[in-house]
Every structure is written in structure tokens, then in C-alpha cells.
Amino acid sequence: MKYASLIFILLLLFINTDAQTAKDFAADWDKQHFSKIPPSNLRHADLKKQLDELKKLGLKIQEAGRSYDDREIYQIEWGKGATRIFMWSQMHGDEPTATTALLDMLAYLQKNRSKTWVKELENSLTIRAVPMLNPDGAELFQRRNLQAIDINRDAAALETPEGRLLKKLRDDWSPDIGFNLHNQGSLTTVGNTARQATISFLAVLGNAEGKTNDGHERNKRICAVMISALENFIKGHIGRYDDSYNPRAFGDMISAWGTPVILIETGALHDKNEMFLVKLNFVAYLSALKSLVDKSEGKADAKIYESLPFNNSGSLYNFIFRNANIINFAENLEPFTADISINVERRRASEAAPTYIREIGDLSIFSGLDEYDVKDFYLIPRNGLLRVGASGEFLFYKKTREVDWTVKDLEKAFPPDAVFSNGKWTKGGKLLEKVSK
Ligand SMILES: [Zn+2]
């Protein structure tokens, strides 16, 4: 009896170390992730160092081609199975999350090859991954390549070396599935809600007529698997990307050329950092790959994908200041009441992200990730002039104060009670009432 329970405990331990569920993948990522720096800070030189480390783990890594500015573009291969999986990231230079997630996934698979389920993946799949297809754009943290061409509109013209390489890698190998990995705006929302679309999926059709095929139907089921996995962490924050056929876009054309593509767009989640998004990608990829091998994909319900709300935009801002008593002192001293919204531009984690005024007026139908009711304050544009597109820097004065707005150096003569600059309170933020949601 004693032995029986001991064996049972050992068995449980054995099962627990053999990760299978989305939560297990996430826990494993927490413990084992290979990446050390936020994806937006990862430069091409950093990527090369990380690939050297992956090589030491035994991963097959080759230079696949060069960018317009002669930077190396690499392809990593893992597995020896019959099903060919092609994954590429950062075709847009300022969309880096998946690059890091791919490195984390491949390092994890390579390090855990002794586990039964990983062995099954290794024997069933061959994965080829191109992390950072657009290294010149990544270096500048810009969408386009160095010719200022959007590589994702170059699938037909093939004017960019990066686009030509992507097509060649596909054509030489004819993968069974393609994963086209991008980032979307952090203010993209799920349907008509104010919820950020943290991850959005699209099973790409690849034809203008809207005709489905086996590969497309399979990809919808794979999306369903990934959605179910991610709902453990971001329920309500998953969207569906709009499928409008574009004969210049790689997702559509790679599907049309015979490799049905799944598009994954990573957005953001308020108060969560980039590494959380990397983890979500890691969980999604592994859930998808495992479902192909254990055949659970075949039983997945495509309706889980089909019933996702479409992505939306324009209803959410980074910040809203409600009921502000605005004094535009550079042109008029008469206060007026309005709401003001501020958005933050996309930058590397290591750089300050500029903010700009997006809207002024009645914003009652919109939401902000952070909202403040500032009815008890005067809101003063730091440079004295309120304009849409101007930087979102404000001084706040309690309405009970007597201030001469015409004085030369206002901030010095009348120190403000609170200051909002570059998306942060640099003074007195606690005085303002945050709107709870
Ligand atoms: Zn993109």
C-alpha cells in the first residue's frame, strides 16, 4: 500500500513535469524563458548574440539572406517531422514581440527534447523560423525597410530584398502552414467594447472570391486552439482581424501560393509589459503546434474563431482628462470646459514615448486607459496653446487658487499643483481623481 501511494505520487510528479496545458506553458515560460531584454530594445546585434547562444544549444541556424543595408537575416530550423511550419516575425521593424517569442519557443523546445510530448513534436514537425525579417527597420524602430517600402505591400512587386527572400524561403520549401507575426496598435479594441485587443487572429483566405479550402479550415481550428489557450490569461481581449484580400500583402499571397497563413497581431494590455505579451505568444505557438501533433486540432471548434468580435479602433485613448477647466493663456484667458484625450506614440521601452493631444471637446462616448476627473482644476497647456497634435503637457492648478496667467514665467511665478508630461505625472498626480472603471 505504501509503495502504491509512492508510485502514485511519483507518477503525478512525472505528469506534472511534462507540460501540456496553456497554464503549464505559461508557468514554464516564467521559469525558463531565454529572453532577457524587452523585444522593443532588441537590436540586430543583440539578435546575433542570442542566436549564438541558441547555436550552442544545438539549434540549426543559417544566414538566409541580407537586408537592403546588408544586415544578416537568419533562419532557424528545429525538428525532423513531415509537417512543415514556417514562422516569420518583424517584417515591420517596429513590431518586435514575436521575434523574442520565437527565440523563447525554440530555446524551450530544444532544451526540453527529453520530454515525451516535445519528442513527438520533434518527430512530427519541422519548424523554420525567420526572426526579424526586417533588421534595418528594426534598427531604426520603423515599420518600413530602408527603401521606405512597406514589405507587407511588396508581395507582388518584390522590390525589397527582404520580400524577395521571404518569397524564396516559401517557394523553396512549400510549407504546410505559415505564421505571419505582427504587432497592432495598443489602442485596437475588441468589437464595440473599450477592451484592448491584446491578441488578434486571422486565418487568411488568400483569394478575392472568399472561397475556403482545407488549409484555411484547418487554420481556423488552429486559431480556435490558440484562442482557448489564451482565454486562460486574457479573456475578452482577443479579436479577429478583418480579412480583406490584398494581392500585394504577403499573408494573402503566401496563402495563395499554397501555404495557408495564420496572422497573429499582438496589441497591448494596460499595466502589462512587453514580456507578458511575449509569454502569450509563446503559449499560443506551443498550443498550436501541440494540437497538430496530438490531433486535437481536428476536434477544435472553428466557431470559437468565427465568433470572435472584429478588431475596432478609434474608441479608446491612452488618457482622458474629463471636465477640464481649460485656460488657453497664449490666446485667451477665458476658461472653458472640455474633455481632452492624449495618446502615446510607439517607442522602444528604453526611450521616452512622446504624447500628443488627440481630441478636445465632448468625449463622453469614448474611453481612456487612464481617466481623470479634473473638474476641480484649471488645466493649462504647458506652452500656453491648446491644439490637436500638440504635445500633451499640462499644468494643473486648483480652482481655488488666484493665478495671474499673463505672468512671464508662469511655472516659476506660480508653481502648479500638478504636472503631466510624457504620459506621466511629474508632480502632484495623487491630487487628481482617477476615474475608476
Ligand atoms: Zn505589421
Side-chain angles (χ1 to χ4, degrees):
M1 192 57 211
K2 226 178 186 178
Y3 282 114
S5 50
L6 189 68
I7 287 167
F8 181 69
I9 288 164
L10 283 172
L11 202 66
L12 274 182
L13 281 173
F14 175 74
I15 290 165
N16 280 340
T17 55
D18 204 21
Q20 301 276 324
T21 69
K23 283 183 179 167
D24 292 332
F25 291 146
D28 276 1
W29 184 89
D30 284 335
K31 275 180 270 175
Q32 303 187 26
H33 67 90
F34 161 85
S35 53
K36 289 168 202 79
I37 48 177
S40 64
N41 287 347
L42 188 88
R43 305 293 187 108
H44 186 248
D46 303 315
L47 175 71
K48 287 209 269 191
K49 275 185 219 149
Q50 299 207 340
L51 292 177
D52 282 342
E53 283 181 52
L54 290 183
K55 258 185 217 163
K56 283 179 203 149
L57 292 176
L59 276 159
K60 273 192 255 172
I61 302 173
Q62 283 188 328
E63 182 183 324
R66 293 275 171 127
S67 68
Y68 190 79
D69 201 23
D70 212 30
R71 287 192 171 86
E72 302 89 341
I73 300 170
Y74 297 96
Q75 181 165 261
I76 311 168
E77 184 175 303
W78 184 86
K80 47 189 183 227
T83 304
R84 297 180 300 279
I85 314 283
F86 187 34
M87 309 175 85
W88 61 95
S89 72
Q90 218 167 347
M91 168 193 288
H92 294 140
D94 58 351
E95 300 180 12
T97 306
T99 296
T100 301
L102 285 174
L103 301 182
D104 278 352
M105 179 190 76
L106 291 161
Y108 174 80
L109 290 173
Q110 181 68 6
K111 280 195 253 175
N112 289 278
R113 278 154 70 222
S114 62
K115 290 185 179 172
T116 312
W117 72 272
V118 179
K119 223 172 259 159
E120 281 167 11
L121 250 66
E122 191 180 17
N123 291 329
S124 308
L125 309 177
T126 301
I127 301 166
R128 287 186 182 173
V130 179
M132 201 185 277
L133 180 69
N134 177 7
D136 300 344
E139 201 61 20
L140 297 165
F141 207 61
Q142 68 177 29
R143 178 182 177 89
R144 292 158 186 266
N145 86 335
L146 216 63
Q147 296 157 283
I149 292 176
D150 182 339
I151 297 167
N152 207 24
R153 300 291 177 267
D154 192 39
L158 297 170
E159 295 291 345
T160 63
E162 299 87 356
R164 288 192 291 272
L165 175 65
L166 182 61
K167 182 172 194 312
K168 182 180 185 303
L169 292 174
R170 195 228 72 91
D171 290 350
D172 288 351
W173 197 43
S174 286
D176 297 296
I177 306 175
F179 284 84
N180 186 16
L181 305 170
H182 289 252
N183 286 85
Q184 61 191 4
S186 64
L187 299 174
T188 309
T189 47
V190 175
N192 291 322
T193 73
R195 290 194 302 271
Q196 285 171 292
T198 305
I199 302 275
S200 296
F201 292 100
L202 174 63
V204 181
L205 257 174
N207 63 72
E209 301 77 39
K211 272 190 306 206
T212 188
N213 54 50
D214 289 349
H216 177 238
E217 291 300 319
R218 177 207 58 205
N219 282 2
K220 285 200 274 186
R221 293 192 298 272
I222 296 173
C223 287
V225 168
M226 292 191 280
I227 293 158
S228 299
L230 293 180
E231 280 186 336
N232 286 291
F233 315 98
I234 52 166
K235 198 166 171 55
H237 288 274
I238 306 172
R240 208 175 140 194
Y241 212 80
D242 177 31
D243 191 2
S244 45
Y245 178 72
N246 184 338
R248 304 179 303 153
F250 267 104
D252 296 283
M253 293 318 293
I254 286 182
S255 299
W257 297 329
T259 297
V261 167
I262 293 172
L263 170 71
I264 304 179
E265 295 270 356
T266 300
L269 190 60
H270 195 36
D271 292 333
K272 294 282 189 186
N273 65 20
E274 286 183 70
M275 295 309 273
F276 176 75
L277 303 171
V278 170
K279 174 160 68 174
L280 294 179
N281 273 263
F282 176 89
V283 170
Y285 308 161
L286 285 176
S287 302
L289 297 177
K290 191 180 143 284
S291 78
L292 285 164
V293 174
D294 68 16
K295 309 291 182 215
S296 57
E297 165 271 309
K299 288 174 237 144
D301 184 359
K303 284 197 191 73
I304 293 172
Y305 164 76
E306 288 163 345
S307 61
L308 274 185
F310 281 110
N311 273 1
N312 213 336
S313 62
S315 63
L316 185 64
Y317 299 101
N318 286 108
F319 296 91
I320 294 182
F321 298 100
R322 298 208 181 270
N323 311 307
N325 303 281
I326 299 159
I327 294 180
N328 230 357
F329 70 81
E331 58 182 6
N332 193 334
L333 295 176
E334 210 51 51
F336 65 95
T337 308
D339 306 326
I340 298 181
S341 66
I342 305 286
N343 278 352
V344 181
E345 287 182 19
R346 185 186 289 183
R347 286 290 186 279
R348 294 187 200 279
S350 59
E351 290 167 15
T355 57
Y356 62 98
I357 299 169
R358 192 69 186 77
E359 199 50 84
I360 304 161
D362 174 4
L363 303 182
S364 54
I365 64 164
F366 301 114
S367 299
L369 291 174
D370 285 305
E371 295 189 10
Y372 294 89
D373 187 343
V374 297
K375 63 179 184 305
D376 296 329
F377 290 81
Y378 290 116
L379 181 153
I380 318 298
R382 201 169 206 172
N383 67 359
L385 199 62
L386 191 69
R387 288 286 182 268
V388 167
S391 84
E393 290 202 89
F394 302 125
L395 314 177
F396 291 85
Y397 291 85
K398 284 180 185 159
K399 274 183 82 181
T400 49
R401 281 179 66 182
E402 293 273 330
V403 178
D404 176 4
W405 309 114
T406 61
V407 75
K408 224 179 176 182
D409 192 347
L410 178 67
E411 277 181 71
K412 211 170 171 191
F414 296 94
D417 295 297
V419 178
F420 182 84
S421 169
N422 274 333
K424 288 186 188 76
W425 294 102
T426 56
K427 186 185 176 186
K430 289 200 178 90
L431 293 174
L432 289 103
E433 190 188 332
K434 198 159 182 172
V435 179
S436 55
K437 281 175 286 174

